[in-house]
Amino acid sequence: MGQRSTEPPISWLMHAALSRPKLISLAAGFTDSASLPVAEARAALNQVLRSPKTGQPALQYGSTAGDPVLRKLTAEYLRKLDLGGTSCRRPQNQGQRHAVSPEIYSPERLLITSGSQQLLYMTTEALCDEGDIVLVEDPTYFVYLGILQSRGLRARTVRLERDGLDLAHLESVLQSLKRTGELRRVKLFYLVSYFQNPTGITTSFEKKCGLLKLLKKFERAVGHPIYLLEDAAYRELSFSAGIKGRDALPRVQVDRQVGTTVSPPSALAVPGAAERVIYAGTFSKPFATGVRVGYGVLPEPVFSAVKHIKGNHDFGTSNLLQHLVARALASGIYGRHVARLQKRYAHKARVMKRAIEKHFPPAVEWWEPEGGLYFWARLPRNVPTGVKSKVFQTALKNDVLYVPGEICYADDPARRKPNHEMRISFGNASEKDIREGIKRLGKVLKKFV
Ligand SMILES: Cc1ncc(COP(=O)(O)O)c(C=O)c1O
């Protein structure tokens, strides 16, 4: 395994961003440093450490599954996100046509992890043996592809449409795996469902229903479960009313715990989700990336298996940080912060959109996100954007960095890996740097496109 595990591209991209002061990085998935909640985190920590009674349990080891208070608050939070609290806006007809079993959101099914990354790793470790197949979106979160490579797993890719997964393509991929006898090696579908990293695409609730139905249909042919691992890392970072700006934001009430939300329910709200959906959530992106507290909702027997693995990894996520997040959730600090963040990212995305409109040549196609941290741009097919390409190297010389699209594509014998795209992030760059970075990138693109 050590020999198979190569340095992930993320290390290099993060290092490049941190080590060259003049470089404008539109690459790393860092969040907006200026809006990290310093005063809010201090207030929450002060509450936790105000007395030995509250402080000592936080400074002690906790349990493997996580702090019971945080598990309860997170389960409640997730239920509200999916089904709507009293003051949450919920798109009509989404997830409300059938009764969702309340047990799905039971704290007993919820595991607190060290970032959602740990959950992705442990779940994959628990479910897949070497040589097994994981279905992924094409393209997908490149750090997850590193997990597959390191664990000796194969990927099969499913195309994306503007409203998410191409279900007809998924069916044909599953059919062809059945024909070749490889369906029995398929254990998992990994889906980044909200404002996807890297494309910004959100998979609609209807498509999640269709996806689970297809997985269930094909698992009957192999006699073992095919799980859906839903990664909702960017779920909370919705611009609510699209990118059109603050003026166009609807007047939604801010819920104390969940902020504002208009994104579709998770796959947990799909009929029949209870035994097959594994949900990965995080407080990194909506609160503080440095805190790295994530969570998973898992059905048995996966819950127990992953909990045992976590016992071996670290027998529990940092207890102090869990207490911090629990305080933030319970006191309303978290919900208010999310609401501010949503406006902030909507604004930064608008700044990037305007700069792209001004500086990118018309032959470059780009996708406008409605949440998350990324724009996805597509050059003509004959203009490569990979690390060794002229575009990338010239961009680097001009002190601007993007994520080459090719690293977001899994190896899949069924198609050639596209290499003419790029992910551009407005997460961490200041507004000034977004404008300047896009200007520099536009200049490079005009040279080659
Ligand atoms: C799609 C996706 N999933 C999961 C993660 C992991 O986040 P964390 O471990 O901080 O929760 C990230 C981080 O960038 C991500 O982009």
Side-chain angles (χ1 to χ4, degrees):
M1 186 181 156
Q3 286 170 351
R4 259 198 320 255
S5 306
T6 51
E7 183 173 35
I10 185 98
S11 317
W12 185 82
L13 288 169
M14 284 192 170
H15 177 74
L18 294 172
S19 64
R20 292 179 57 162
K22 269 174 52 194
L23 183 91
I24 296 179
S25 177
L26 304 175
F30 283 21
T31 47
D32 183 52
S33 293
S35 49
L36 285 170
V38 175
E40 291 86 343
R42 190 190 311 123
L45 267 182
N46 276 338
Q47 287 178 26
V48 172
L49 300 176
R50 75 175 175 268
S51 72
K53 191 164 168 243
T54 56
Q56 280 162 357
L59 294 174
Q60 185 54 276
Y61 275 136
S63 66
T64 305
D67 171 52
V69 176
L70 182 60
R71 288 173 80 195
K72 188 161 170 281
L73 285 167
T74 307
E76 171 64 10
Y77 165 75
L78 202 52
R79 193 191 60 74
K80 268 192 181 178
L81 272 185
D82 270 355
L83 309 178
T86 45
S87 56
C88 279
R89 251 176 68 115
R90 166 111 338 279
Q92 278 178 357
N93 298 333
Q94 290 200 330
Q96 288 168 353
R97 270 165 290 172
H98 61 277
V100 177
S101 150
E103 292 90 71
I104 290 199
Y105 304 97
S106 153
E108 305 299 307
R109 290 164 42 87
L110 201 133
L111 186 72
I112 305 292
T113 52
S114 303
S116 57
Q117 189 66 38
Q118 188 189 35
L119 187 90
L120 301 181
Y121 189 92
M122 293 187 307
T123 304
T124 309
E125 188 178 31
L127 291 175
C128 303
D129 297 314
E130 197 179 328
D132 276 348
I133 294 173
V134 177
L135 299 165
V136 296
E137 294 152 292
D138 205 26
T140 187
Y141 173 42
F142 56 86
V143 183
Y144 188 74
L145 295 178
I147 298 178
L148 299 188
Q149 186 204 28
S150 159
R151 300 219 49 88
L153 305 173
R154 294 176 289 159
R156 286 294 176 274
T157 59
V158 180
R159 287 195 287 264
L160 283 172
E161 299 174 312
R162 293 309 291 267
D163 62 342
L165 211 61
D166 180 343
L167 292 178
H169 187 227
L170 170 63
E171 183 154 21
S172 79
V173 169
L174 288 165
Q175 285 290 10
S176 101
L177 287 166
K178 194 173 168 192
R179 269 197 308 276
T180 58
E182 289 178 298
L183 192 61
R184 64 187 179 83
R185 301 308 305 261
V186 177
K187 304 288 170 62
L188 194 61
F189 193 112
Y190 170 66
L191 176 79
V192 186
S193 52
Y194 298 91
F195 317 118
Q196 195 231 26
N197 179 1
T199 61
I201 287 174
T202 294
T203 289
S204 67
F205 186 71
E206 283 69 22
K207 287 208 161 175
K208 289 178 192 174
C209 295
L211 166 59
L212 209 64
K213 218 164 153 182
L214 270 175
L215 296 183
K216 285 198 170 178
K217 177 176 149 191
F218 279 87
E219 76 173 28
R220 280 196 283 275
V222 286
H224 66 238
I226 302 177
Y227 288 97
L228 169 59
L229 172 55
E230 175 173 29
D231 177 346
Y234 297 89
R235 178 175 194 177
E236 286 86 349
L237 305 189
S238 127
F239 308 151
S240 303
I243 205 168
K244 292 179 192 72
R246 194 175 291 188
D247 301 340
L249 284 174
R251 279 180 200 285
V252 283
Q253 262 186 289
V254 178
D255 184 272
R256 280 184 83 225
Q257 285 182 337
V258 301
T260 55
T261 177
V262 287
S263 49
S266 74
L268 291 169
V270 171
E275 301 89 32
R276 289 295 179 269
V277 174
I278 299 159
Y279 179 92
T282 183
F283 294 109
S284 281
K285 309 280 177 187
F287 190 63
T289 27
V291 171
R292 295 304 293 281
V293 172
Y295 54 93
V297 177
L298 306 104
E300 282 295 356
V302 191
F303 180 90
S304 294
V306 172
K307 195 176 91 170
H308 297 154
I309 291 173
K310 185 165 168 65
N312 295 336
H313 273 230
D314 61 13
F315 52 89
T317 297
S318 157
N319 215 11
L320 178 63
L321 297 177
Q322 291 186 68
H323 280 244
L324 163 64
V325 174
R327 275 318 307 157
L329 272 173
S331 62
I333 286 176
Y334 173 84
R336 286 192 296 275
H337 180 69
V338 172
R340 274 197 301 274
L341 215 54
Q342 287 166 336
K343 285 189 183 159
R344 173 99 189 114
Y345 285 127
H347 176 68
K348 288 183 86 173
R350 198 164 67 239
V351 170
M352 183 169 269
K353 183 192 173 191
R354 288 201 192 115
I356 289 177
E357 280 170 341
K358 191 165 164 195
H359 298 292
F360 276 20
V364 174
E365 193 189 337
W366 47 274
W367 298 1
E368 188 179 337
E370 293 182 350
L373 302 178
Y374 311 111
F375 277 71
W376 181 247
R378 179 174 288 163
L379 278 56
R381 266 197 183 276
N382 61 345
V383 187
T385 56
V387 177
K388 295 200 178 102
S389 71
K390 285 185 185 147
V391 173
F392 188 84
Q393 290 302 326
T394 314
L396 206 55
K397 255 190 225 138
N398 286 277
D399 275 323
V400 60
L401 193 67
Y402 61 83
V403 169
E406 69 177 3
I407 68 172
C408 308
Y409 285 97
D411 292 325
D412 182 341
R415 58 114 179 82
R416 258 182 71 191
K417 210 185 258 199
N419 68 347
H420 60 297
E421 291 157 312
M422 55 177 68
R423 188 193 80 176
I424 321 165
S425 174
F426 51 85
N428 190 232
S430 65
E431 287 173 40
K432 187 167 156 258
D433 279 357
I434 291 174
R435 289 192 195 95
E436 177 58 27
I438 292 293
K439 190 173 157 194
R440 290 181 195 173
L441 194 54
K443 230 178 185 174
V444 175
L445 293 177
K446 279 178 189 151
K447 222 167 152 173
F448 295 102
V449 174

